[in-house]
Amino acid sequence: ERVKIWLYAYPPLLGGLLRHVETLALELQRLGEDPLLWVHPSPDLDSWASSLRERGVAVSRGVARSSRDLRALCRLRESLRRERPDIVHFHKGGRYESLLPLWIVSREKAATVVTEHLPFFPSEEGPFRLRWLLRRVQPSASRLLLLGPSWVGPYRELVDYPEERIRLVPPFVRRVSPLPKGERGKRLGFLGEFTSRKGVDRLIEALPLFVAEGYTLTFCGRGALEEELKREGRRYPGRVFVEPFREDVAEFYRKIDLLLLPSLWEGLPLVLLEALSAGIPGAVTPVGVIPDYFRDGEGVYYIRETTPQGLLETVSRALSGGEVPPSLWEENFSPRRVVERVRSVYREIAHGE
């Protein structure tokens, strides 16, 4: 029997989390399910939401903008009472995100699944009322999906969630068309938010050294450091390129030989998985659950020091390394493998399988 599934995701901008949810919705649809995707009403998501509808995915723009968006929260409650979904699957990108919607869904006796996409322990503790709400509401989730085993202990300590209801499910991405094999050039790339959390300030600091060593750098995205990045990039015409974020990321990967991601903290970045699926290695900081899945030097190269010289040494090591093993993506992060694990969680809740 088909399970009635809602996918609820807060982010107002298209990024890794929403691209993950998009892939999940399309794969569930391919497998005969009929998911409803709840997303933010931000105008920045208009064209993306329209493209999903054109592909047959039902989309509601009813996600609450904040805890004060009482109209949206009331609409959610009314929709729950009218539609009676079997499962509402929340995709969280922050510790306190979606707590009120989760509380409302739980009060209406619908089963809930929560996927935590970003770490919750390195950030500030937050106001007492939010910490109280987190510890009161989050344990009501029927199942908790964590990206890797290293998160289980810290999360149980934070929320006191029953370990028997935790499942480990990594993110997944569709394959980016593999690039022709051959000698790697000196084209470096960054895709994501232009923020200090993503390490863009460290890349800006390292630009003179990279350019002096003959590298070109392509930055694709948006964020708080965009103007500074463009200003510094203009000093190196033909060597540093700053491009707006695009929904079709394949064109970006065709321009690079190595992905750079010196983040302060992460979950398991989709851009890394996409690069690996295309046969492109990644130079990343070993944060989040990245060390749960990758050994240094096997397609993924750890940045131990984020100084300009430390970045340069890691880049040199990565570009002189071997080919990315095809099994890295296929066996661990392909939708056909991982989505079945998500569906098994749904069936476990809905049918007791």
Side-chain angles (χ1 to χ4, degrees):
E1 185 179 348
R2 181 180 291 183
V3 180
K4 197 171 187 178
I5 304 162
W6 287 5
L7 306 176
Y8 191 102
Y10 172 78
L13 294 173
L14 184 58
L17 191 154
L18 286 181
R19 287 194 286 131
H20 169 91
V21 175
E22 172 188 354
T23 303
L24 176 58
L26 291 170
E27 286 296 310
L28 289 173
Q29 182 189 59
R30 182 184 65 80
L31 293 168
E33 306 289 356
D34 190 20
L36 171 63
L37 180 54
W38 283 68
V39 296
H40 200 282
S42 164
D44 291 310
L45 298 180
D46 286 350
S47 64
W48 174 74
S50 296
S51 71
L52 278 175
R53 290 190 180 110
E54 290 171 2
R55 287 179 279 178
V57 177
V59 179
S60 167
R61 306 299 300 279
V63 164
R65 292 177 170 88
S66 71
S67 60
R68 296 184 178 88
D69 191 353
L70 299 182
R71 181 176 298 179
L73 293 170
C74 288
R75 282 199 301 267
L76 172 64
R77 185 182 63 183
E78 291 166 4
S79 297
L80 286 163
R81 292 176 176 177
R82 183 176 62 252
E83 302 294 336
R84 292 297 176 187
D86 295 303
I87 294 170
V88 181
H89 187 169
F90 288 89
H91 292 264
K92 289 178 59 185
R95 182 185 292 185
Y96 304 114
E97 190 177 284
S98 303
L99 284 180
L100 281 177
L102 176 60
W103 178 74
I104 290 171
V105 173
S106 299
R107 293 271 294 182
E108 294 299 321
K109 308 301 182 184
T112 54
V113 176
V114 174
T115 294
E116 292 282 1
H117 287 268
L118 286 177
F120 20 79
F121 14 97
S123 58
E124 295 180 1
E125 276 295 308
F128 172 79
R129 61 184 178 85
L130 286 178
R131 283 184 280 137
W132 178 86
L133 188 63
L134 177 73
R135 294 184 174 99
R136 182 73 177 262
V137 172
Q138 195 88 334
S140 68
S142 308
R143 295 294 184 274
L144 173 66
L145 308 188
L146 297 180
L147 302 188
S150 62
W151 279 8
V152 174
Y155 196 90
R156 292 199 64 229
E157 182 179 344
L158 177 71
V159 182
D160 193 27
Y161 191 85
E163 190 168 0
E164 63 272 14
R165 302 207 318 253
I166 294 175
R167 302 292 181 268
L168 300 179
V169 179
F172 44 86
V173 296
R174 292 184 169 184
R175 182 191 289 276
V176 176
S177 299
L179 303 177
K181 293 186 178 181
E183 186 177 349
R184 294 199 186 104
K186 304 186 78 171
R187 303 175 304 166
L188 313 179
F190 171 91
L191 174 64
E193 296 179 2
F194 299 153
T195 60
S196 296
R197 180 179 79 79
K198 291 287 189 177
V200 172
D201 53 344
R202 294 163 180 77
L203 294 177
I204 292 174
E205 184 184 358
L207 286 180
L209 184 57
F210 279 131
V211 171
E213 293 293 327
Y215 292 97
T216 62
L217 297 96
T218 299
F219 294 85
C220 182
R222 59 193 161 210
L225 296 177
E226 184 171 352
E227 291 306 314
E228 181 182 356
L229 182 58
K230 288 180 176 178
R231 185 173 60 252
E232 292 299 313
R234 284 193 290 268
R235 298 172 56 191
Y236 309 104
R239 305 296 295 279
V240 177
F241 306 92
V242 182
E243 303 176 350
F245 182 82
R246 54 168 61 92
E247 292 182 20
D248 179 12
V249 296
E251 182 63 29
F252 165 79
Y253 290 110
R254 283 192 282 269
K255 296 179 180 180
I256 69 170
D257 301 299
L258 175 68
L259 179 75
L260 282 175
L261 198 61
S263 304
L264 290 176
W265 48 275
E266 286 281 0
L268 185 55
L270 293 196
V271 291
L272 175 61
L273 307 184
E274 288 171 340
L276 295 173
S277 78
I280 299 169
V284 303
T285 40
V287 294
V289 299
I290 293 174
D292 289 354
Y293 293 99
F294 303 107
R295 287 189 290 189
D296 187 16
E298 297 182 3
V300 176
Y301 298 83
Y302 289 158
I303 300 170
R304 301 298 182 181
E305 294 184 14
T306 56
T307 61
Q309 190 60 42
L311 289 168
L312 181 63
E313 290 174 359
T314 305
V315 165
S316 300
R317 186 163 61 94
L319 289 175
S320 60
E323 296 290 339
V324 175
S327 60
L328 269 183
W329 172 81
E330 179 62 45
E331 295 181 5
N332 299 289
F333 310 109
S334 64
R336 290 179 185 270
R337 284 184 177 268
V338 183
V339 170
E340 274 302 333
R341 292 164 67 177
V342 179
R343 285 186 84 203
S344 70
V345 173
Y346 295 160
R347 290 193 296 266
E348 184 180 299
I349 296 170
H351 306 311
E353 296 181 9

